Amino acid sequence: MIRIEIDEDRCVGCLECVDVCPTGVIINKNNKPFVENAERCIGCLSCSYVCRADAIKHEGIHVEEKIVKSVYIEEKIERFV
Amino acid sequence: MKIGIVKLASCSGCQIALLDTHEKLLEIADKVVYAPLIKDARELPDCDVVLVEGAVRTEHELEVLKRARERAKKLVAFGSCSALGGISGMGSIYKPEKLIEDIYGRDLDYKLLDFAYPIDRFVEVDYYLPGCPPTPELISKFIDGILNGRVERHDYPVCAECGRLVVHTKIDNIKKTELPDPKVCLLSQGYVCLGSVTRGGCRAICTKAGVPCRGCRGPTDKVMVMPCKDYLTELHDRIERIAGFDVKFNDVASIYAFVFTSDMMDKLVSRIKEVIRKGRRGGRA
Ligand code: SF4
Ligand code: SF4
Ligand code: SF4
Ligand code: SF4
Ligand code: SF4
């Protein structure tokens, strides 16, 4: 079961996550994103991808984050504080 | 614990920011064994931690850096010049010969490297603490982290700390001079704010003061790992979505100002170094 959490303190209200979700999981509620139908989430991570504030967290997704990582950069990235 | 501070091509601003940590500085003062600005030791001894400020611009600096690496258990790229090229890296948009001719007007007895590089081009780096300069708060937290072995990362963008809210607008030009609305996202208002692509942790001091983020902390984790995320495409995309206008950036170099000599931006889509190398200005520096 996928759980989605939106960190309200981080969110700047751009609603890009609402626009991008292909299955209508995140809806616009009084100009704020709201997780309405978590069970419909297909785990595409598009919302988290467009979120400029890194405010959306998913748990329980069965696939790895589908991002291409360069080994060189991946090695170094953890050292950036 | 012995701490050393080494200066390469830099403005010393990062060391000044370290002085601005007040109590934290007092706490570590007796641990600092070498620091040109605050101690008069001549030689860098073996240290537990060496903070390197500045980019590598000359062959001499390269030697200093290599010696620092040999003597440091942990080497820290302190500030954006050192971590990403930063302001010193910006000089790389001019050819080295041109810089020397215009600034010194004579030959130098040392050689400039082709670019002003971040230090990780030459040596292994254990921690990067970007920022121009990193805020005293960031430095204090980092020092605490080093002392107790738990360094906290900031993997979120500046937007997460900004507190301004996005409003969907329709504008037709980039703004630079007018006073912005204090509550609304600067991108919505037509200012080119790099907050969404820039590593947070600075508490968005610039946008809170009404000044767009210039990206001094360098790229976020996302921008670094995702090949299709790049400053230009991200900013273009966001401005189009929220302000409804197709922005043509005519000064690309200023968007990548802090990062373009860093390998961290050498992804499939970012050809910034190549572009700058090709179009290097031969004109007056
Ligand atoms: S994309 Fe992120 S910042 Fe924008 S509304 Fe959604 S959660 Fe908030
Ligand atoms: S991961 Fe995909 S399906 Fe799930 S909420 Fe985000 S955009 Fe919608
Ligand atoms: S990062 Fe900024 S403050 Fe630090 S040395 Fe470079 S130019 Fe100066
Ligand atoms: S783009 Fe700039 S002004 Fe807008 S939310 Fe992000 S940091 Fe704040
Ligand atoms: S808001 Fe941007 S430019 Fe200002 S300190 Fe933070 S990262 Fe640097």
Side-chain angles (χ1 to χ4, degrees), chain B residues 2 42-50 64-75:
Chain B
K2 281 190 192 164
R42 283 276 177 82
E43 270 285 318
L44 177 72
D46 285 338
C47 287
D48 297 290
V49 183
V50 172
V64 173
L65 173 65
K66 286 182 178 157
R67 209 175 317 135
R69 177 67 271 188
E70 279 163 20
R71 306 211 167 146
K73 279 197 196 128
K74 293 258 182 261
L75 192 79

Side-chain angles (χ1 to χ4, degrees), chain B residues 45-106:
Chain B
D46 285 338
C47 287
D48 297 290
V49 183
V50 172
L51 306 177
V52 180
E53 178 198 72
V56 188
R57 179 84 246 203
T58 67
E59 287 175 348
H60 169 71
E61 282 158 4
L62 184 53
E63 290 313 308
V64 173
L65 173 65
K66 286 182 178 157
R67 209 175 317 135
R69 177 67 271 188
E70 279 163 20
R71 306 211 167 146
K73 279 197 196 128
K74 293 258 182 261
L75 192 79
V76 182
F78 181 39
S80 291
C81 289
S82 177
L84 301 156
I87 301 271
S88 307
M90 269 187 228
S92 308
I93 59 174
Y94 299 101
K95 293 181 174 140
E97 314 86 67
K98 199 68 201 162
L99 282 174
I100 294 173
E101 189 188 312
D102 285 348
I103 293 168
Y104 298 95
R106 61 177 165 82

Side-chain angles (χ1 to χ4, degrees), chain B:
Chain B
M1 167 83 70
K2 281 190 192 164
I3 302 173
I5 301 169
V6 166
K7 176 182 151 65
L8 308 176
S10 71
C11 78
S12 299
C14 293
Q15 291 185 68
I16 300 289
L18 174 69
L19 298 184
D20 276 344
T21 58
H22 305 291
E23 293 86 4
K24 193 56 59 191
L25 182 69
L26 289 178
E27 205 181 305
I28 60 161
D30 59 331
K31 301 187 174 72
V32 177
V33 290
Y34 178 85
L37 205 65
I38 47 178
K39 283 254 156 112
D40 49 351
R42 283 276 177 82
E43 270 285 318
L44 177 72
D46 285 338
C47 287
D48 297 290
V49 183
V50 172
L51 306 177
V52 180
E53 178 198 72
V56 188
R57 179 84 246 203
T58 67
E59 287 175 348
H60 169 71
E61 282 158 4
L62 184 53
E63 290 313 308
V64 173
L65 173 65
K66 286 182 178 157
R67 209 175 317 135
R69 177 67 271 188
E70 279 163 20
R71 306 211 167 146
K73 279 197 196 128
K74 293 258 182 261
L75 192 79
V76 182
F78 181 39
S80 291
C81 289
S82 177
L84 301 156
I87 301 271
S88 307
M90 269 187 228
S92 308
I93 59 174
Y94 299 101
K95 293 181 174 140
E97 314 86 67
K98 199 68 201 162
L99 282 174
I100 294 173
E101 189 188 312
D102 285 348
I103 293 168
Y104 298 95
R106 61 177 165 82
D107 284 344
L108 298 181
D109 42 13
Y110 54 88
K111 274 183 79 181
L112 291 191
L113 306 181
D114 182 30
F115 271 47
Y117 290 106
I119 64 172
D120 65 357
R121 176 149 187 119
F122 307 104
V123 297
E124 180 84 10
V125 172
D126 297 296
Y127 292 107
Y128 298 79
L129 180 56
C132 183
T135 57
E137 187 199 352
L138 268 170
I139 299 176
S140 296
K141 276 206 304 201
F142 177 73
I143 290 174
D144 280 343
I146 285 279
L147 293 177
N148 62 31
R150 267 198 317 273
V151 176
E152 186 195 332
R153 298 189 66 235
H154 302 84
D155 58 358
Y156 50 82
V158 173
C159 293
E161 295 179 321
C162 168
R164 288 173 178 265
L165 290 182
V166 172
V167 174
H168 289 253
T169 51
K170 187 94 191 77
I171 45 172
D172 49 21
N173 221 333
I174 284 184
K175 279 196 226 146
K176 283 187 174 152
T177 47
E178 296 99 296
L179 269 185
D181 182 303
K183 294 209 161 59
V184 175
C185 167
L186 294 163
L187 278 183
S188 308
Q189 301 185 58
Y191 297 89
V192 180
C193 177
L194 266 66
S196 60
V197 287
T198 301
R199 186 175 299 278
C202 62
R203 298 204 184 265
I205 43 177
C206 302
T207 65
K208 280 184 185 150
V211 180
C213 169
R214 257 89 180 189
C216 85
R217 292 250 303 142
T220 55
D221 285 6
K222 267 191 189 170
V223 173
M224 283 180 183
V225 295
M226 297 187 182
C228 41
K229 282 210 171 215
D230 193 52
Y231 282 15
L232 215 51
T233 50
E234 285 295 291
L235 289 174
H236 183 277
D237 198 43
R238 290 197 200 294
I239 292 174
E240 194 164 38
R241 274 171 195 257
I242 65 178
F245 106 89
D246 181 14
V247 57
K248 301 266 182 301
F249 292 107
N250 48 17
D251 189 6
V252 175
S254 75
I255 292 180
Y256 293 91
F258 287 93
V259 297
F260 75 75
T261 60
S262 168
D263 288 347
M264 298 308 282
M265 297 303 283
D266 276 1
K267 302 178 300 178
L268 294 174
V269 286
S270 183
R271 291 170 52 229
I272 185 68
K273 241 190 253 179
E274 197 184 314
V275 170
I276 284 178
R277 199 173 254 134
K278 262 196 204 139
R280 281 237 253 197
R281 299 170 199 179
R284 232 198 110 71

Side-chain angles (χ1 to χ4, degrees), chain A residues 3 7 14 16-18 24-25 30 35 38 41 45 50-51 53 62 69 73 76 80:
Chain A
R3 287 175 303 284
D7 183 335
C14 64
E16 289 184 32
C17 51
V18 175
V25 172
N30 307 323
V35 180
C41 174
L45 295 179
V50 294
C51 178
H62 52 288
K69 291 178 181 171
I73 285 177
K76 289 188 171 183
F80 273 81

Side-chain angles (χ1 to χ4, degrees), chain A residues 6 10-18 33 47 50-53 55-56:
Chain A
I6 299 182
R10 287 190 179 186
C11 174
V12 293
C14 64
L15 299 179
E16 289 184 32
C17 51
V18 175
C47 53
V50 294
C51 178
R52 62 166 78 194
I56 310 177

